[in-house]
Amino acid sequence: KEPGQPLNQGISLLATMNPGVESTFDISAVIAISAAVTMTFGNLVALQQNRLKRLLAYSTIAQSGYVLM
């Protein structure tokens, strides 16, 4: 696991399990925007990598964005 992945999964779990968070548009919008930025950044940087290890690292960053969505 990547160091930030448990944090992202925890945020996602809190957002889905807490009824107060679902009704609050601002928090949901912030989570969605941060997930979109994470996915875009991870995928765009992964496309530019020549080494497999770095490509997998950046694609994992993108996957953490998918977890938040």
Side-chain angles (χ1 to χ4, degrees), residues 1-58:
K1 288 186 178 182
E2 290 293 316
Q5 191 172 7
L7 175 65
N8 289 338
Q9 290 173 347
I11 292 170
S12 178
L13 180 66
L14 285 176
T16 56
M17 299 300 286
N18 191 352
V21 173
E22 288 181 14
S23 64
T24 305
F25 175 75
D26 296 332
I27 294 173
S28 298
V30 168
I31 291 172
I33 290 170
S34 66
V37 168
T38 303
M39 288 187 299
T40 305
F41 171 76
N43 287 323
L44 289 176
V45 175
L47 285 173
Q48 299 173 353
Q49 299 305 314
N50 293 328
R51 295 173 47 200
L52 181 62
K53 191 172 184 178
R54 290 183 66 112
L55 179 113
L56 290 174
Y58 283 109

